[in-house]
Coordinates of all heavy atoms in Angstrom, one line a residue:
M29 N -119.5 62.3 -39.0 CA -118.1 62.2 -39.0 C -117.5 63.5 -38.5 O -118.1 64.6 -38.7 CB -117.5 62.1 -40.5 CG -117.8 60.7 -41.0 SD -117.1 60.5 -42.7 CE -115.6 59.7 -42.3
T30 N -116.4 63.4 -37.9 CA -115.7 64.6 -37.3 C -115.0 65.3 -38.4 O -114.7 64.8 -39.5 CB -114.7 64.2 -36.2 OG1 -113.6 63.5 -36.8 CG2 -115.4 63.4 -35.1
T31 N -114.6 66.6 -38.2 CA -113.8 67.3 -39.2 C -112.5 66.7 -39.5 O -112.1 66.6 -40.7 CB -113.6 68.8 -38.6 OG1 -114.8 69.3 -38.3 CG2 -112.9 69.6 -39.6
V32 N -111.9 66.1 -38.5 CA -110.6 65.4 -38.7 C -110.8 64.2 -39.7 O -110.1 64.0 -40.6 CB -109.9 65.0 -37.4 CG1 -108.7 64.1 -37.7 CG2 -109.6 66.2 -36.6
A33 N -111.8 63.4 -39.4 CA -112.1 62.2 -40.2 C -112.5 62.7 -41.6 O -112.0 62.0 -42.6 CB -113.3 61.4 -39.6
L34 N -113.2 63.7 -41.8 CA -113.5 64.2 -43.2 C -112.3 64.7 -43.9 O -112.2 64.5 -45.1 CB -114.6 65.3 -43.1 CG -116.0 64.9 -42.7 CD1 -116.9 66.1 -42.4 CD2 -116.6 64.0 -43.8
N35 N -111.4 65.4 -43.1 CA -110.2 65.9 -43.8 C -109.3 64.7 -44.2 O -108.7 64.7 -45.3 CB -109.4 66.8 -42.8 CG -110.0 68.2 -42.8 OD1 -110.7 68.6 -43.7 ND2 -109.9 68.9 -41.7
N36 N -109.2 63.7 -43.4 CA -108.5 62.5 -43.7 C -109.1 61.8 -44.9 O -108.4 61.3 -45.9 CB -108.4 61.5 -42.6 CG -107.5 62.0 -41.5 OD1 -106.6 62.8 -41.7 ND2 -107.7 61.5 -40.3
L37 N -110.4 61.7 -45.0 CA -111.1 61.1 -46.1 C -110.8 61.9 -47.4 O -110.5 61.3 -48.4 CB -112.6 61.0 -45.9 CG -113.4 60.5 -47.0 CD1 -113.0 59.0 -47.4 CD2 -114.9 60.5 -46.7
W38 N -110.9 63.2 -47.3 CA -110.6 64.0 -48.5 C -109.1 63.8 -48.9 O -108.9 63.8 -50.1 CB -110.9 65.5 -48.2 CG -110.5 66.3 -49.4 CD1 -109.5 67.2 -49.5 CD2 -111.0 66.3 -50.7 NE1 -109.3 67.7 -50.7 CE2 -110.3 67.2 -51.5 CE3 -112.0 65.5 -51.3 CZ2 -110.6 67.3 -52.8 CZ3 -112.3 65.7 -52.6 CH2 -111.6 66.6 -53.4
T39 N -108.2 63.8 -48.0 CA -106.8 63.6 -48.3 C -106.6 62.3 -49.1 O -105.9 62.2 -50.1 CB -106.0 63.6 -47.1 OG1 -106.1 64.9 -46.4 CG2 -104.5 63.5 -47.4
Y40 N -107.3 61.3 -48.6 CA -107.2 60.0 -49.2 C -107.8 60.0 -50.7 O -107.1 59.6 -51.6 CB -108.0 58.9 -48.4 CG -108.1 57.6 -49.1 CD1 -107.0 56.7 -49.2 CD2 -109.3 57.2 -49.7 CE1 -107.1 55.5 -49.9 CE2 -109.4 56.0 -50.3 CZ -108.3 55.2 -50.4 OH -108.4 54.0 -51.1
I41 N -109.0 60.6 -50.8 CA -109.6 60.7 -52.1 C -108.8 61.5 -53.1 O -108.6 61.1 -54.2 CB -111.1 61.2 -52.0 CG1 -111.9 60.2 -51.3 CG2 -111.6 61.5 -53.3 CD1 -113.3 60.7 -50.9
D42 N -108.3 62.6 -52.6 CA -107.5 63.5 -53.4 C -106.2 62.9 -53.9 O -105.7 63.2 -54.9 CB -107.2 64.8 -52.6 CG -106.8 65.9 -53.5 OD1 -107.3 66.0 -54.7 OD2 -105.9 66.7 -53.1
G43 N -105.7 61.9 -53.0 CA -104.4 61.2 -53.4 C -104.6 60.1 -54.4 O -103.7 59.6 -55.0
L44 N -105.9 59.7 -54.7 CA -106.1 58.7 -55.7 C -106.0 59.3 -57.1 O -106.2 60.5 -57.3 CB -107.5 58.2 -55.5 CG -107.9 57.5 -54.2 CD1 -109.4 57.1 -54.2 CD2 -107.1 56.2 -54.1
S45 N -105.5 58.5 -58.0 CA -105.4 59.0 -59.4 C -106.7 58.7 -60.1 O -106.8 57.7 -60.9 CB -104.2 58.3 -60.1 OG -104.4 56.9 -60.0
L46 N -107.7 59.5 -59.8 CA -109.0 59.3 -60.4 C -109.1 60.1 -61.7 O -108.7 61.3 -61.8 CB -110.1 59.8 -59.5 CG -110.2 59.1 -58.2 CD1 -111.3 59.7 -57.3 CD2 -110.5 57.6 -58.4
K47 N -109.7 59.5 -62.7 CA -110.0 60.2 -64.0 C -111.2 61.0 -63.7 O -112.0 60.8 -62.8 CB -110.2 59.1 -65.1 CG -109.0 58.3 -65.4 CD -109.3 57.3 -66.4 CE -108.1 56.4 -66.6 NZ -108.3 55.2 -67.5
Q48 N -111.5 61.9 -64.7 CA -112.6 62.8 -64.6 C -114.0 62.0 -64.5 O -114.8 62.3 -63.7 CB -112.7 63.7 -65.8 CG -113.9 64.7 -65.8 CD -113.8 65.7 -64.6 OE1 -112.7 66.0 -64.1 NE2 -114.9 66.2 -64.2
K49 N -114.0 60.9 -65.3 CA -115.2 60.1 -65.2 C -115.4 59.5 -63.8 O -116.5 59.4 -63.3 CB -115.1 59.0 -66.3 CG -116.3 58.0 -66.4 CD -116.0 57.0 -67.4 CE -117.1 55.9 -67.4 NZ -116.8 54.9 -68.4
D50 N -114.3 59.0 -63.2 CA -114.4 58.5 -61.9 C -114.8 59.5 -60.9 O -115.6 59.2 -60.0 CB -113.0 57.8 -61.5 CG -112.7 56.7 -62.4 OD1 -113.5 56.0 -62.9 OD2 -111.4 56.5 -62.6
R51 N -114.3 60.7 -61.0 CA -114.6 61.8 -60.0 C -116.1 62.1 -60.2 O -116.9 62.4 -59.1 CB -113.8 63.0 -60.3 CG -112.4 62.9 -59.9 CD -111.6 64.2 -60.1 NE -110.2 64.0 -59.7 CZ -109.8 64.3 -58.5 NH1 -110.6 64.7 -57.6 NH2 -108.5 64.1 -58.2
E52 N -116.6 62.2 -61.4 CA -118.1 62.4 -61.6 C -118.9 61.3 -61.0 O -119.9 61.6 -60.4 CB -118.3 62.6 -63.1 CG -117.8 63.9 -63.7 CD -117.9 64.0 -65.2 OE1 -118.5 63.0 -65.8 OE2 -117.4 64.9 -65.7
W53 N -118.5 60.1 -61.2 CA -119.2 59.0 -60.6 C -119.3 59.1 -59.1 O -120.4 58.9 -58.5 CB -118.5 57.6 -61.0 CG -119.2 56.5 -60.4 CD1 -120.3 55.8 -60.8 CD2 -118.9 55.8 -59.1 NE1 -120.6 54.7 -60.0 CE2 -119.8 54.8 -58.9 CE3 -117.9 56.1 -58.2 CZ2 -119.7 53.9 -57.8 CZ3 -117.9 55.3 -57.0 CH2 -118.8 54.2 -56.9
L54 N -118.2 59.4 -58.5 CA -118.1 59.5 -57.0 C -119.0 60.7 -56.6 O -119.7 60.5 -55.6 CB -116.7 59.7 -56.6 CG -116.4 59.9 -55.1 CD1 -116.9 58.7 -54.3 CD2 -114.9 60.2 -54.8
A55 N -119.0 61.8 -57.2 CA -119.8 63.0 -56.9 C -121.3 62.6 -57.0 O -122.1 62.9 -56.1 CB -119.5 64.1 -57.8
S56 N -121.6 61.9 -58.1 CA -123.0 61.5 -58.2 C -123.5 60.6 -57.1 O -124.6 60.7 -56.6 CB -123.3 60.9 -59.6 OG -122.7 59.5 -59.7
K57 N -122.6 59.6 -56.7 CA -123.0 58.8 -55.6 C -123.2 59.6 -54.3 O -124.1 59.3 -53.5 CB -121.9 57.7 -55.3 CG -121.9 56.7 -56.5 CD -123.2 55.9 -56.5 CE -123.2 54.9 -57.6 NZ -124.5 54.3 -57.8
L58 N -122.3 60.5 -54.0 CA -122.5 61.3 -52.8 C -123.8 62.1 -52.8 O -124.5 62.2 -51.9 CB -121.3 62.2 -52.6 CG -120.0 61.6 -52.3 CD1 -118.8 62.6 -52.4 CD2 -120.0 60.9 -50.9
L59 N -124.1 62.6 -54.0 CA -125.3 63.4 -54.1 C -126.6 62.5 -54.1 O -127.6 62.9 -53.5 CB -125.4 64.2 -55.4 CG -124.3 65.3 -55.4 CD1 -124.3 66.0 -56.9 CD2 -124.6 66.4 -54.4
E60 N -126.6 61.3 -54.6 CA -127.7 60.4 -54.5 C -128.0 60.1 -53.1 O -129.2 60.0 -52.7 CB -127.3 59.1 -55.3 CG -127.5 59.1 -56.8 CD -127.1 57.8 -57.4 OE1 -127.0 56.8 -56.7 OE2 -126.8 57.9 -58.6
T61 N -127.0 59.8 -52.3 CA -127.2 59.5 -50.9 C -127.9 60.6 -50.2 O -128.9 60.5 -49.4 CB -125.9 59.2 -50.2 OG1 -125.2 58.1 -50.9 CG2 -126.0 58.8 -48.8
K62 N -127.5 61.8 -50.5 CA -128.2 63.0 -49.9 C -129.6 63.1 -50.3 O -130.5 63.3 -49.5 CB -127.4 64.3 -50.3 CG -128.0 65.6 -49.8 CD -127.0 66.2 -48.9 CE -127.6 67.6 -48.5 NZ -127.9 67.6 -47.1
A63 N -129.9 62.9 -51.6 CA -131.3 62.9 -52.0 C -132.1 61.8 -51.4 O -133.3 62.1 -51.0 CB -131.3 62.9 -53.6
D64 N -131.5 60.6 -51.3 CA -132.3 59.5 -50.7 C -132.5 59.8 -49.2 O -133.6 59.5 -48.7 CB -131.5 58.2 -50.8 CG -131.5 57.7 -52.3 OD1 -132.3 58.2 -53.0 OD2 -130.7 56.9 -52.5
D65 N -131.5 60.4 -48.5 CA -131.7 60.7 -47.1 C -132.8 61.7 -46.9 O -133.7 61.6 -46.0 CB -130.4 61.3 -46.5 CG -129.3 60.3 -46.4 OD1 -129.6 59.1 -46.5 OD2 -128.2 60.7 -46.2
A66 N -133.0 62.7 -47.8 CA -134.1 63.7 -47.7 C -135.4 63.1 -47.9 O -136.4 63.3 -47.2 CB -133.8 64.8 -48.6
K67 N -135.4 62.2 -48.9 CA -136.7 61.5 -49.2 C -137.1 60.6 -48.0 O -138.2 60.6 -47.7 CB -136.5 60.6 -50.5 CG -137.7 59.9 -50.9 CD -137.5 59.1 -52.2 CE -138.7 58.4 -52.6 NZ -138.5 57.6 -53.8
T68 N -136.1 59.9 -47.5 CA -136.4 59.0 -46.4 C -136.9 59.8 -45.1 O -137.8 59.4 -44.4 CB -135.1 58.2 -46.0 OG1 -134.7 57.4 -47.1 CG2 -135.4 57.3 -44.8
A69 N -136.2 60.9 -44.9 CA -136.7 61.8 -43.8 C -138.1 62.2 -44.0 O -138.9 62.3 -43.0 CB -135.7 63.0 -43.6
K70 N -138.5 62.6 -45.2 CA -139.8 63.1 -45.4 C -140.8 61.9 -45.2 O -141.9 62.1 -44.7 CB -140.0 63.6 -46.9 CG -139.4 65.0 -47.1 CD -139.6 65.4 -48.5 CE -139.0 66.8 -48.8 NZ -139.2 67.2 -50.2
Q71 N -140.5 60.7 -45.7 CA -141.3 59.6 -45.5 C -141.5 59.2 -44.0 O -142.6 59.0 -43.6 CB -140.7 58.3 -46.3 CG -140.8 58.5 -47.8 CD -140.1 57.4 -48.5 OE1 -139.2 56.8 -48.0 NE2 -140.5 57.1 -49.7
K72 N -140.4 59.3 -43.3 CA -140.5 59.0 -41.8 C -141.4 60.0 -41.2 O -142.1 59.7 -40.2 CB -139.1 59.0 -41.2 CG -138.3 57.7 -41.6 CD -137.0 57.8 -40.9 CE -136.1 56.5 -41.2 NZ -134.8 56.5 -40.6
A73 N -141.2 61.3 -41.5 CA -142.0 62.3 -40.9 C -143.5 62.1 -41.2 O -144.4 62.3 -40.3 CB -141.6 63.7 -41.4
Y74 N -143.8 61.7 -42.4 CA -145.2 61.4 -42.8 C -145.8 60.3 -42.0 O -146.9 60.4 -41.5 CB -145.3 61.2 -44.3 CG -146.7 60.8 -44.8 CD1 -147.7 61.7 -44.9 CD2 -146.9 59.4 -45.0 CE1 -149.0 61.3 -45.3 CE2 -148.2 59.1 -45.4 CZ -149.3 60.0 -45.5 OH -150.5 59.6 -45.9
V75 N -145.1 59.2 -41.9 CA -145.5 58.1 -41.2 C -145.7 58.4 -39.7 O -146.7 58.1 -39.1 CB -144.5 56.9 -41.3 CG1 -144.9 55.8 -40.4 CG2 -144.6 56.4 -42.7
K76 N -144.8 59.2 -39.1 CA -144.9 59.6 -37.7 C -146.1 60.4 -37.5 O -146.9 60.2 -36.6 CB -143.7 60.3 -37.3 CG -143.7 60.7 -35.8 CD -142.4 61.5 -35.5 CE -142.4 61.9 -34.0 NZ -141.2 62.7 -33.7
E77 N -146.4 61.4 -38.4 CA -147.5 62.3 -38.3 C -148.8 61.5 -38.4 O -149.8 61.7 -37.6 CB -147.5 63.4 -39.4 CG -148.6 64.3 -39.4 CD -148.5 65.2 -40.6 OE1 -147.5 65.7 -41.0 OE2 -149.6 65.5 -41.2
T78 N -148.9 60.6 -39.4 CA -150.1 59.8 -39.5 C -150.3 58.9 -38.3 O -151.5 58.8 -37.9 CB -149.9 58.9 -40.8 OG1 -149.6 59.8 -41.9 CG2 -151.2 58.0 -41.1
L79 N -149.3 58.3 -37.8 CA -149.5 57.4 -36.6 C -150.0 58.2 -35.4 O -150.8 57.8 -34.6 CB -148.2 56.6 -36.3 CG -147.9 55.5 -37.3 CD1 -146.5 54.9 -37.0 CD2 -148.9 54.4 -37.3
I80 N -149.4 59.4 -35.2 CA -149.8 60.2 -34.1 C -151.2 60.7 -34.2 O -152.0 60.6 -33.2 CB -148.9 61.5 -34.0 CG1 -147.4 61.0 -33.4 CG2 -149.4 62.5 -33.1 CD1 -146.4 62.1 -33.6
R81 N -151.6 61.0 -35.4 CA -153.0 61.4 -35.7 C -154.0 60.2 -35.4 O -155.0 60.4 -34.7 CB -153.2 61.9 -37.1 CG -154.5 62.5 -37.4 CD -154.6 63.2 -38.7 NE -153.3 63.1 -39.5 CZ -153.2 62.7 -40.8 NH1 -154.2 62.4 -41.4 NH2 -152.0 62.6 -41.3
A82 N -153.6 59.0 -35.8 CA -154.4 57.9 -35.6 C -154.6 57.6 -34.1 O -155.6 57.2 -33.6 CB -153.9 56.6 -36.4
L83 N -153.5 57.6 -33.4 CA -153.4 57.4 -32.0 C -154.3 58.4 -31.3 O -155.1 58.0 -30.4 CB -152.0 57.4 -31.5 CG -151.8 57.2 -29.9 CD1 -152.4 55.8 -29.6 CD2 -150.4 57.3 -29.6
N84 N -154.2 59.6 -31.7 CA -155.1 60.7 -31.0 C -156.6 60.4 -31.3 O -157.4 60.6 -30.4 CB -154.7 62.1 -31.4 CG -153.4 62.5 -30.9 OD1 -153.0 62.1 -29.8 ND2 -152.7 63.4 -31.6
E85 N -156.9 59.9 -32.4 CA -158.3 59.6 -32.8 C -158.8 58.4 -31.9 O -159.9 58.4 -31.4 CB -158.4 59.2 -34.3 CG -158.4 60.5 -35.2 CD -158.5 60.2 -36.6 OE1 -159.0 59.0 -37.0 OE2 -158.1 60.9 -37.5
V86 N -157.9 57.4 -31.7 CA -158.3 56.3 -30.9 C -158.5 56.7 -29.4 O -159.5 56.3 -28.8 CB -157.3 55.1 -31.0 CG1 -157.5 54.1 -29.9 CG2 -157.2 54.5 -32.3
K87 N -157.6 57.6 -29.0 CA -157.7 58.1 -27.6 C -159.1 58.9 -27.4 O -159.7 58.8 -26.4 CB -156.6 59.0 -27.2 CG -155.3 58.2 -27.0 CD -154.2 59.1 -26.7 CE -152.8 58.4 -26.4 NZ -151.7 59.3 -26.2
A88 N -159.4 59.7 -28.4 CA -160.6 60.5 -28.4 C -161.8 59.6 -28.4 O -162.8 59.8 -27.8 CB -160.7 61.4 -29.6
A89 N -161.7 58.5 -29.1 CA -162.9 57.5 -29.2 C -163.1 56.9 -27.9 O -164.2 56.7 -27.4 CB -162.6 56.5 -30.3
K90 N -162.0 56.5 -27.3 CA -162.1 55.9 -26.0 C -162.7 56.8 -24.9 O -163.4 56.3 -24.0 CB -160.7 55.4 -25.5 CG -160.2 54.2 -26.2 CD -158.9 53.7 -25.6 CE -158.5 52.4 -26.3 NZ -157.2 51.9 -25.7
R91 N -162.4 58.1 -25.1 CA -163.0 59.1 -24.1 C -164.5 59.4 -24.5 O -165.2 60.1 -23.8 CB -162.2 60.4 -24.1 CG -160.8 60.2 -23.5 CD -160.1 61.6 -23.4 NE -160.0 62.3 -24.6 CZ -158.9 62.3 -25.4 NH1 -157.8 61.7 -25.0 NH2 -158.9 63.0 -26.5
G92 N -164.9 58.8 -25.6 CA -166.3 59.1 -26.1 C -166.5 60.4 -26.8 O -167.6 60.8 -27.0
E93 N -165.4 61.0 -27.3 CA -165.5 62.3 -27.9 C -165.8 62.2 -29.4 O -166.4 63.1 -30.0 CB -164.2 63.1 -27.8 CG -163.9 63.4 -26.3 CD -162.5 64.0 -26.1 OE1 -161.7 64.1 -27.1 OE2 -162.1 64.2 -24.9
V94 N -165.4 61.1 -30.0 CA -165.7 60.8 -31.4 C -166.2 59.3 -31.6 O -165.8 58.5 -30.8 CB -164.5 61.1 -32.4 CG1 -164.1 62.5 -32.3 CG2 -163.3 60.2 -32.0
K95 N -166.9 59.1 -32.6 CA -167.3 57.8 -33.0 C -166.4 57.2 -34.0 O -166.2 57.8 -35.1 CB -168.7 57.8 -33.4 CG -169.3 56.4 -33.8 CD -170.7 56.5 -34.4 CE -171.2 55.1 -34.9 NZ -170.6 54.7 -36.1
M96 N -165.8 56.0 -33.7 CA -165.0 55.4 -34.7 C -165.8 54.6 -35.7 O -166.9 54.2 -35.4 CB -164.0 54.3 -34.0 CG -163.1 55.0 -33.1 SD -161.8 56.0 -33.8 CE -160.8 54.8 -34.6
M97 N -165.3 54.5 -36.9 CA -166.0 53.8 -38.0 C -165.9 52.3 -37.7 O -164.9 51.8 -37.2 CB -165.3 54.0 -39.4 CG -165.7 55.2 -40.1 SD -164.9 55.1 -41.7 CE -164.3 56.7 -41.9
T98 N -166.9 51.5 -38.1 CA -166.8 50.1 -38.1 C -166.0 49.7 -39.3 O -165.8 50.4 -40.2 CB -168.2 49.4 -38.1 OG1 -168.8 49.7 -39.4 CG2 -169.0 49.9 -37.0
E99 N -165.6 48.4 -39.3 CA -164.8 47.9 -40.5 C -165.7 48.0 -41.7 O -165.2 48.3 -42.8 CB -164.4 46.4 -40.2 CG -163.4 46.2 -39.2 CD -163.1 44.7 -38.9 OE1 -163.5 43.9 -39.8 OE2 -162.6 44.5 -37.8
G100 N -167.0 47.7 -41.6 CA -167.9 47.7 -42.7 C -168.0 49.1 -43.3 O -168.0 49.3 -44.5
E101 N -168.1 50.1 -42.4 CA -168.2 51.5 -42.8 C -166.9 51.9 -43.5 O -167.0 52.6 -44.5 CB -168.5 52.4 -41.6 CG -169.9 52.3 -41.0 CD -170.0 53.0 -39.7 OE1 -169.0 53.2 -39.0 OE2 -171.1 53.3 -39.3
F102 N -165.8 51.5 -43.0 CA -164.5 51.9 -43.6 C -164.4 51.3 -45.0 O -164.0 52.0 -45.9 CB -163.4 51.4 -42.7 CG -162.0 51.6 -43.3 CD1 -161.5 52.9 -43.3 CD2 -161.3 50.6 -43.8 CE1 -160.2 53.2 -43.8 CE2 -160.0 50.8 -44.3 CZ -159.5 52.1 -44.3
L103 N -164.8 50.0 -45.1 CA -164.7 49.3 -46.4 C -165.7 49.9 -47.4 O -165.3 50.1 -48.6 CB -164.9 47.9 -46.3 CG -163.8 47.1 -45.6 CD1 -164.2 45.6 -45.3 CD2 -162.5 47.1 -46.4
E104 N -166.8 50.3 -47.0 CA -167.8 50.9 -47.8 C -167.3 52.3 -48.3 O -167.5 52.6 -49.5 CB -169.1 51.1 -47.1 CG -170.3 51.4 -47.9 CD -170.6 50.4 -49.1 OE1 -170.5 49.2 -48.8 OE2 -170.9 50.8 -50.2
G105 N -166.7 53.0 -47.5 CA -166.1 54.3 -47.8 C -165.0 54.1 -48.9 O -164.9 54.9 -49.9
L106 N -164.2 53.1 -48.8 CA -163.2 52.8 -49.8 C -163.8 52.5 -51.1 O -163.4 52.9 -52.2 CB -162.2 51.7 -49.3 CG -161.3 52.0 -48.2 CD1 -160.5 50.8 -47.8 CD2 -160.4 53.2 -48.5
K107 N -164.9 51.7 -51.1 CA -165.6 51.3 -52.3 C -166.2 52.5 -53.0 O -166.2 52.7 -54.2 CB -166.7 50.3 -52.0 CG -166.2 48.9 -51.7 CD -167.3 48.0 -51.3 CE -166.8 46.6 -50.9 NZ -167.8 45.7 -50.4
T108 N -166.8 53.4 -52.1 CA -167.4 54.6 -52.6 C -166.4 55.5 -53.3 O -166.7 56.2 -54.4 CB -168.1 55.4 -51.5 OG1 -169.1 54.6 -50.9 CG2 -168.8 56.7 -52.0
E109 N -165.2 55.6 -52.8 CA -164.1 56.4 -53.4 C -163.5 55.8 -54.5 O -162.6 56.4 -55.2 CB -163.1 56.8 -52.3 CG -163.7 57.7 -51.2 CD -162.7 58.0 -50.2 OE1 -161.4 57.9 -50.4 OE2 -163.1 58.5 -49.1
G110 N -163.8 54.5 -54.8 CA -163.3 53.8 -56.0 C -161.9 53.2 -55.6 O -161.2 52.8 -56.6
V111 N -161.5 53.1 -54.4 CA -160.3 52.4 -54.0 C -160.4 50.9 -54.1 O -159.4 50.3 -54.6 CB -159.8 52.8 -52.6 CG1 -158.6 52.2 -52.2 CG2 -159.6 54.4 -52.5
L112 N -161.5 50.4 -53.8 CA -161.7 49.0 -53.9 C -162.7 48.6 -55.0 O -163.5 49.3 -55.3 CB -162.3 48.4 -52.5 CG -161.4 48.5 -51.3 CD1 -162.1 47.9 -50.1 CD2 -160.1 47.7 -51.6

């Protein structure tokens, strides 16, 4: 939002006859959104990093630089670690 839009929004909110309870509710909603945005940004960064790493491993395997696991080896590893 632009500064003008934010100022107009504040003028509108300030003009409302909100009780203290209503102001606290509004403030908590604004803060919740901020916390959710930060969490979402961290999750997106993690997914992006993981996908880039996986893509680089596949490219390296195609060049013959590393050996990829077979499905059986992958599943066996998960069983060994107690995931399955």
Side-chain angles (χ1 to χ4, degrees):
M29 290 182 98
T30 66
T31 302
V32 173
L34 288 172
N35 284 334
N36 288 338
L37 177 60
W38 175 249
T39 301
Y40 172 75
I41 292 171
D42 197 37
L44 297 173
S45 58
L46 298 176
K47 297 177 183 172
Q48 181 64 27
K49 180 180 173 185
D50 298 328
R51 289 181 180 271
E52 289 172 4
W53 176 87
L54 180 58
S56 71
K57 289 298 178 186
L58 291 170
L59 292 175
E60 280 178 18
T61 302
K62 178 118 174 110
D64 289 345
D65 289 347
K67 182 179 178 182
T68 300
K70 285 182 182 180
Q71 289 171 337
K72 285 181 179 180
Y74 173 77
V75 169
K76 181 179 178 181
E77 177 186 321
T78 302
L79 290 173
I80 289 171
R81 191 171 358 130
L83 180 60
N84 288 335
E85 287 179 17
V86 169
K87 287 178 180 178
K90 285 184 177 181
R91 292 189 302 262
E93 297 171 2
V94 295
K95 179 185 176 284
M96 297 292 288
M97 278 189 227
T98 65
E99 291 175 19
E101 291 170 334
F102 178 73
L103 291 173
E104 193 58 40
L106 290 177
K107 288 178 186 175
T108 302
E109 293 180 20
V111 176
L112 293 179

